[in-house]
Amino acid sequence: MNKQQRIKKNKEFQRVFKKGKSFANRQFIVYLLKGEQEEFRLGLSVSKKVGNAVARNRVKRYIRQAFLELKDDLLPNADYIIIARPQAAKLDFHESKKSLEHVLKIARALPKK
């Protein structure tokens, strides 16, 4: 993912939290804010409750890879913030992707197939 596709600054996170809508399942919470930019942007939040550094980094890698694989189907001009819940650490990549697809379909960011 390139730099234009990342949300890093606290101000940007707060804007999505305040103005966006949230959707959740057991593993992830997704905040979605439609914007004017041409590509989607992604912010990740994985707290220490999820596990040690190895587990948190693995969860973040899985989320990034899932978004790269889903990028053609996602709303292109939106900001996404993904918050991983502790149950996300127990999933492998395919389960994580399936769970993310589920919550994104609830958010209507992915078309239902």
Side-chain angles (χ1 to χ4, degrees), residues 1-2 4-7 15 32-42 67-68 70-80 104 107-111:
M1 297 182 64
N2 58 26
Q4 291 82 26
Q5 290 179 308
R6 290 192 210 134
I7 299 174
R15 185 175 62 86
L32 174 65
L33 178 65
K34 294 176 183 161
E36 296 84 37
Q37 70 272 14
E38 57 275 352
E39 332 184 58
F40 73 88
R41 296 188 317 155
L42 178 64
F67 263 78
L68 283 174
L70 296 171
K71 72 179 178 184
D72 295 331
D73 297 329
L74 286 170
L75 291 175
N77 55 350
D79 289 343
Y80 300 91
L104 288 169
R108 296 192 176 137
L110 269 180

Side-chain angles (χ1 to χ4, degrees), residues 19-52:
K19 296 182 179 177
K21 295 198 186 300
S22 68
F23 306 91
N25 63 10
R26 289 180 184 265
Q27 293 84 17
F28 299 104
I29 303 169
V30 173
Y31 282 85
L32 174 65
L33 178 65
K34 294 176 183 161
E36 296 84 37
Q37 70 272 14
E38 57 275 352
E39 332 184 58
F40 73 88
R41 296 188 317 155
L42 178 64
L44 300 176
S45 176
V46 183
S47 78
K48 288 187 177 181
K49 291 178 184 176
V50 173
N52 62 11

Side-chain angles (χ1 to χ4, degrees), residues 24-26 97-107 110:
N25 63 10
R26 289 180 184 265
K97 183 178 175 190
K98 193 171 184 176
S99 180
L100 271 172
E101 284 177 353
H102 174 257
V103 75
L104 288 169
K105 283 177 184 172
I106 293 171
L110 269 180

